[in-house]
Amino acid sequence: MTENSQQPQSEPTPELPTQYAPAEVEGKLYERWVERGYFAADAKSDKPAYTIVIPPPNVTGSLHLGHAFQHTLMDALTRRKRMQGYESLWLPGMDHAGIATQNVVERELGKEGKSRHDLGRDAFVERVWQWKEEYGGKILGQMRRLGDGVDWSRERFTMDEGLSQAVQTIFKKLYDDELIYRAERIINWCPRCLTAISDIEVEYQDDDGELVSMKYGEGDDTIVVATTRAETMLGDTAVAVHPDDERYRHLVGRRIKLPLTDRTIPVVADTHVDPEFGTGAVKVTPAHDPNDFAIGQRHDLESLTVMDERGVITVHGPFQGLDRFEARSAIVAALRAEGRIVAEKRPYVHSVGHCSRCKTTLEPRLSMQWWVKVGPLAQAAGDAVRDGRVTIHPADMSKRYFDWVDNMHDWCISRQLWWGHRIPVWYGPEGEVVCVGPDEEPPGTEAEGWKQDPDVLDTWFSSGLWPFSTLGWPERTPDLEKFYSTDVLLTGHDIIFFWVARMMMFGLYAMDGEVPFKTIALTGLVRDQFGKKMSKSSGTAVDPLDWMNAYGSDAVRFTLARGANPGTDVPIGEDWVQASRNFANKIWNATRFALMNGATVEGPLPDPSEMTATDRWILSRLNKTVAEVDAFYDDFQFAKLSDALYHFAWDEVFDWYVELSKTTFMAGGEPAKVSGRVLGEVLDVTLRLLHPIVPFVTETLWTTLTGGESVVIAEWPTDSGFRDAGAEREIETLQQVITEVRRFRADQGLQPGQRVPARLTLDGTALAPHEAAIRQLLRLQPEGEAFAATATLPVAGATVALDLSGTIDVAAERKRLAKDLAAAEKEKAQANAKLGNEAFLAKAPDQVVDKIRTRLAKADEDIARIQAQLERLPEA
């Protein structure tokens, strides 16, 4: 806990409006923060650096709850570090999102009856840039609305000039180091997007298909194979069996007839084949299946491509020109007509890859592409975590990371698109291949027969450079020197493979073994209130702007942070946002009350000897909360730190300390001044602790309370070490008394504001100094001459005697309680009867039995409670 450094004010503290209206303050406050440069980081500063680079949202995107969730947590981290005295940089930017952006602009062209080919490459790319300037980056404006404290002066885009230079530089470096190569391999091809996509961009789902078993060959040479993709048989160049399979030993090395064609194909022996699966024989189509391609390489088989880039059959007259799915049905029909279909299974549910962008069924396709040789890069990425240079949080997510980097295949980085970073390789008239660096000229002109590779790089190639390219690499800039390595990468566990591993590989490679980030903090995904995935089709998708409009940005932020357990998905519902709005209102109203009753930050804290036990208790609890919140921040336990702040602020400060101090404030004098200073200190520290999560309401309240410039640049509280175990025990006892009497009052049906005559026996207990507060909080009036104790409550060494004769009808209350007791005893008897019935227990499902046990436990609780109430009541 730190002492506030504000000077005594020369003018009275301004009053707060009676209600908090987020819409009236949030936008103005944010613009003020930006104008005053609070979020701008200085590379020349001698403060220690703290850096987070934002996971760059797609230029096509808009703010969704997943963004709002992660941005809230990153903002909290960087705001806290700024308050702790760090040169805190949160760097913003956007990703050009190759396929996604090209698809958007192509759809726009389609509305005009045009395609990108009508415009040509250069004009189309210019059109995309125009779209980006007009519509792209919508999310950046929405980030302001959320309160993102990013350094807008350093905003980057993956295709801006500096980042383009970085892409070309690292491509050239990898190429020269023989870590980039060109080869013909099987890739995932999207017939809709007309491009290769990487393995990690494939979405697998169970589809209803068909499994067809068919006969190849004639007579003794017949062999049965099964497939879910009958159309690819036109490209078969072998049938494979296991070398040890006696059933087919006589066929190995012979050629058999391929149905529907005039070709014969060999039978080959390969250990890849599982003799126990199906017939133990598989068709081999090297140009259309990755496993078949490997078999083809081992046996020097021909690779026949039988489909074009749109999935249309290009061979064999009767089927030529048919779409792949039309051809599938036609080929099965033709085989059936020849009597070659042995079995057909429909539906046959199996896992099928789909394009993550457009959901089209993908086609494995043999294609010449550019690849990154990931072996040494992935090894380095794994070692950096194993040797502790990078920490993954939560630790149990490390296994997923190692599973990926330790088994990574070479990465296909070329895409058959026009929007993106063009591959910097030129092909000459004599077959020359020249990779061009950023400061080099192309080796020749098109007129001289030189052509640049038409493909662009995978989006993840450029975003893999993000932690260092955004800071000026390949130049050794002051920003790079100051802010690299970055401190934390906070991102969803779902993109460990897409992005995290790429950044690790490229960062270690480009920065001579210096890690791109020290900690990888992985979050879960935002779900609906029932834990299910949000989706537009099911009506569960939420636009966070709608909730911000209704309840304020702080309410949305606090709700998201309060659900953020490391690596765990976050359920969220609108009623939770409403509850967070109520919390913001509670902070507002409590601070307003405090200001009206003398809360101040002027001068040093009084000596503990001048304080009441209540004052010492809240300061002790405040320091414990500061320590607790710091520990949770350091462990990325956002849910726990938010919960700790919520309960400290609402339960202890507002519901207990403020209420217990009202009698002191009403009495006035020196004790009231002391408590006013203590309350000011508690509010000052609490608002600073809350600020990184709920920045807007805390800014308004803190500046009003302290007169300070901004809580954004205020000092982060530290634990002063002050503890008072005695005061904590004393107030805990006081709370116990008040809670027990309140419960009794409620049980007797008394209204909260209803006053009851009472005699308090507090002598010999630590509660004696608190009689006025007890009477105030419990609405207990003096006993008077006609006082008759009708109920006596011994609690924590004290005795509270109540005269209920004028407040409740004892006879009616006894009758009501007797009826409730009879109902509870009947419920208990019924539950016991069922649980004692062996036949019932043998047949009933476990959940039914558990439900009855729960009913029994509840009945026992009700009986004990009602009996206690009856004992406390006077005789009628």
Side-chain angles (χ1 to χ4, degrees), residues 56-353:
N58 287 352
V59 69
T60 58
S62 60
L63 191 72
H64 57 64
L65 275 174
H67 288 126
F69 171 55
Q70 293 180 357
H71 287 204
T72 294
L73 305 187
M74 285 184 279
D75 197 28
L77 291 173
T78 49
R79 283 179 183 268
R80 172 176 174 257
K81 285 296 183 180
R82 187 178 294 113
M83 295 172 75
Q84 286 182 315
Y86 286 78
E87 197 62 38
S88 188
L89 169 61
W90 186 18
L91 191 146
M94 293 183 296
D95 194 294
H96 66 281
I99 296 176
T101 306
Q102 180 158 320
N103 282 347
V104 168
V105 178
E106 286 197 76
R107 283 197 296 271
E108 292 297 312
L109 284 174
K111 295 175 184 178
E112 303 170 17
K114 297 179 181 178
S115 74
R116 60 178 163 131
H117 300 285
D118 294 325
L119 271 66
R121 183 167 191 146
D122 291 344
F124 176 77
V125 170
E126 178 58 32
R127 180 72 174 262
V128 181
W129 276 107
Q130 291 173 6
W131 181 91
K132 184 260 179 187
E133 293 303 317
E134 188 172 355
Y135 300 107
K138 177 182 178 183
I139 195 172
L140 298 180
Q142 296 168 333
M143 285 164 56
R144 292 174 174 263
R145 180 68 191 281
L146 187 65
D148 285 7
V150 297
D151 185 347
W152 292 109
S153 69
R154 286 179 166 84
E155 180 189 338
R156 303 305 299 266
F157 179 52
T158 50
M159 283 185 63
D160 67 28
E161 184 177 352
L163 269 63
S164 295
Q165 183 183 31
V167 168
Q168 199 170 352
T169 299
I170 201 163
F171 187 100
K172 171 73 171 173
K173 179 174 170 60
L174 288 162
Y175 182 86
D176 290 347
D177 288 345
E178 298 184 348
L179 292 173
I180 280 183
Y181 63 94
R182 192 168 183 244
E184 192 173 42
R185 300 260 185 92
I186 294 286
I187 47 87
N188 305 295
W189 181 265
C190 178
R192 158 62 183 81
C193 298
L194 300 180
T195 182
I197 67 171
S198 64
D199 292 343
I200 54 177
E201 293 174 299
V202 180
E203 289 183 353
Y204 288 95
Q205 65 184 48
D206 288 341
D207 285 0
D208 286 345
E210 59 181 347
L211 180 65
V212 179
S213 298
M214 48 197 180
K215 291 189 294 186
Y216 283 16
E218 305 286 354
D220 293 339
D221 291 348
T222 299
I223 193 166
V224 176
V225 298
T227 183
T228 58
R229 300 165 65 219
E231 68 279 7
T232 63
M233 67 154 292
L234 300 175
D236 286 358
T237 55
V239 170
V241 298
H242 194 276
D244 299 331
D245 195 331
E246 294 292 339
R247 294 171 295 177
Y248 304 116
R249 189 180 294 276
H250 68 288
L251 289 176
V252 174
R254 298 178 62 175
R255 300 185 71 88
I256 61 174
K257 182 159 189 323
L258 180 66
L260 308 183
T261 72
D262 57 2
R263 292 191 292 118
T264 61
I265 57 177
V267 178
V268 299
D270 195 282
T271 54
H272 170 75
V273 180
D274 180 0
E276 302 299 323
F277 183 77
T279 64
V282 297
K283 58 191 287 299
V284 181
T285 321
H288 292 279
D289 183 273
N291 293 322
D292 293 2
F293 178 77
I295 293 174
Q297 294 287 97
R298 288 194 288 272
H299 297 277
D300 197 25
L301 300 176
E302 185 180 7
S303 295
L304 297 179
T305 300
V306 297
M307 284 179 234
D308 68 10
E309 60 184 9
R310 298 182 185 276
V312 174
I313 302 298
T314 58
V315 298
H316 200 67
F319 311 109
Q320 190 168 357
L322 293 180
D323 171 81
R324 54 186 167 153
F325 300 118
E326 295 172 336
R328 181 176 299 173
S329 299
I331 287 170
V332 171
L335 290 168
R336 191 183 299 114
E338 290 191 4
R340 290 187 173 274
I341 298 297
V342 175
E344 296 179 71
K345 184 177 180 180
R346 296 190 187 89
Y348 178 73
V349 179
H350 61 133
S351 181
V352 178

Side-chain angles (χ1 to χ4, degrees), residues 29 103 111 156 188 201 223 244 256 270 281 320 370 483 494 515 547 576 588 595 611 624 656 658 746 770 803 864 868:
L29 285 181
N103 282 347
K111 295 175 184 178
R156 303 305 299 266
N188 305 295
E201 293 174 299
I223 193 166
D244 299 331
I256 61 174
D270 195 282
Q320 190 168 357
W370 285 95
F483 297 112
D494 56 323
V515 296
W547 282 353
W576 302 340
W588 183 273
L595 288 169
M611 299 179 187
K624 285 185 177 179
W656 283 108
V658 169
H770 302 286
D803 182 355

Side-chain angles (χ1 to χ4, degrees), residues 524-582:
L525 309 179
V526 178
R527 305 285 186 177
D528 69 15
Q529 59 187 329
F530 304 108
K532 296 181 180 178
K533 182 179 179 180
M534 290 187 172
S535 69
K536 292 181 180 178
S537 59
S538 63
T540 57
V542 173
D543 184 343
L545 292 175
D546 291 340
W547 282 353
M548 284 189 266
N549 289 335
Y551 308 110
S553 298
D554 284 334
V556 174
R557 290 170 63 113
F558 192 72
T559 304
L560 291 165
R562 205 172 176 194
N565 290 299
T568 304
D569 289 349
V570 183
I572 184 172
E574 187 167 4
D575 54 339
W576 302 340
V577 186
Q578 292 173 351
S580 295
R581 184 268 317 273
N582 295 342

Side-chain angles (χ1 to χ4, degrees), residues 812-824:
E813 185 64 14
R814 278 190 169 278
K815 185 176 180 180
R816 181 185 70 80
L817 289 172
K819 183 178 179 182
D820 291 347
L821 181 61

Side-chain angles (χ1 to χ4, degrees), residues 21 39 60 173 250 274 336 369 371 396 447 514 543 566 587 613 634 673 698 703 737 744 875-876:
F39 307 139
T60 58
K173 179 174 170 60
H250 68 288
D274 180 0
R336 191 183 299 114
Q369 301 286 345
W371 305 79
D396 58 9
E514 201 174 352
D543 184 343
I587 301 169
D634 292 341
K673 291 181 181 178
T698 52
T703 52
V737 171
F744 176 77
E875 294 298 326

Side-chain angles (χ1 to χ4, degrees), residues 350-643:
H350 61 133
S351 181
V352 178
H354 295 258
C355 175
S356 63
R357 303 295 180 184
C358 69
K359 313 309 176 186
T360 298
T361 299
L362 295 172
E363 194 64 42
R365 175 182 172 86
L366 185 63
S367 180
M368 182 68 75
Q369 301 286 345
W370 285 95
W371 305 79
V372 171
K373 186 184 296 182
V374 300
L377 303 175
Q379 175 70 43
D383 289 345
V385 175
R386 288 189 174 93
D387 64 24
R389 283 175 290 156
V390 177
T391 302
I392 294 180
H393 190 89
D396 58 9
M397 285 285 178
S398 298
K399 183 180 183 301
R400 295 183 64 185
Y401 176 80
F402 291 132
D403 285 347
W404 180 252
V405 298
D406 292 346
N407 299 285
M408 194 181 296
H409 300 297
D410 283 2
W411 172 20
C412 177
I413 56 172
S414 46
R415 299 291 180 267
Q416 290 63 56
L417 303 170
W418 288 354
W419 172 246
H421 294 281
R422 189 92 174 257
I423 288 177
V425 171
W426 290 73
Y427 306 109
E430 304 301 324
E432 302 96 329
V433 179
V434 178
C435 180
V436 177
D439 300 319
E440 300 172 352
E441 292 295 325
T445 65
E446 288 197 17
E448 296 169 335
W450 287 87
K451 290 186 178 180
Q452 186 176 0
D453 193 298
D455 291 350
V456 300
L457 288 164
D458 177 13
T459 296
W460 298 103
F461 189 94
S462 52
S463 60
L465 316 182
W466 190 252
F468 53 94
S469 64
T470 52
L471 296 171
W473 188 90
E475 301 299 322
R476 200 76 194 184
T477 63
D479 275 3
L480 195 65
E481 294 284 355
K482 177 73 174 179
F483 297 112
Y484 190 90
S485 298
T486 70
D487 288 87
V488 177
L489 171 71
L490 190 145
T491 190
H493 62 65
D494 56 323
I495 59 171
I496 291 178
F497 321 126
F498 286 91
W499 192 44
V500 178
R502 306 309 195 210
M503 288 188 290
M504 284 286 282
M505 292 192 302
F506 281 167
L508 290 162
Y509 174 74
M511 297 298 294
D512 300 321
E514 201 174 352
V515 296
F517 23 74
K518 302 176 185 75
T519 299
I520 302 169
L522 297 170
T523 70
L525 309 179
V526 178
R527 305 285 186 177
D528 69 15
Q529 59 187 329
F530 304 108
K532 296 181 180 178
K533 182 179 179 180
M534 290 187 172
S535 69
K536 292 181 180 178
S537 59
S538 63
T540 57
V542 173
D543 184 343
L545 292 175
D546 291 340
W547 282 353
M548 284 189 266
N549 289 335
Y551 308 110
S553 298
D554 284 334
V556 174
R557 290 170 63 113
F558 192 72
T559 304
L560 291 165
R562 205 172 176 194
N565 290 299
T568 304
D569 289 349
V570 183
I572 184 172
E574 187 167 4
D575 54 339
W576 302 340
V577 186
Q578 292 173 351
S580 295
R581 184 268 317 273
N582 295 342
F583 179 53
N585 288 341
K586 183 78 171 181
I587 301 169
W588 183 273
N589 293 333
T591 305
R592 187 169 178 272
F593 166 84
L595 288 169
M596 293 168 61
N597 286 274
T600 180
V601 297
E602 294 182 13
L605 276 173
D607 189 84
S609 63
E610 302 175 40
M611 299 179 187
T612 65
T614 309
D615 293 333
R616 298 194 305 276
W617 163 73
I618 197 63
L619 289 175
S620 185
R621 289 296 306 130
L622 176 66
N623 276 285
K624 285 185 177 179
T625 301
V626 170
E628 191 175 40
V629 167
D630 275 332
F632 285 143
Y633 260 116
D634 292 341
D635 199 33
F636 302 97
Q637 297 280 0
F638 295 98
K640 290 182 178 179
L641 73 88
S642 299
D643 219 42

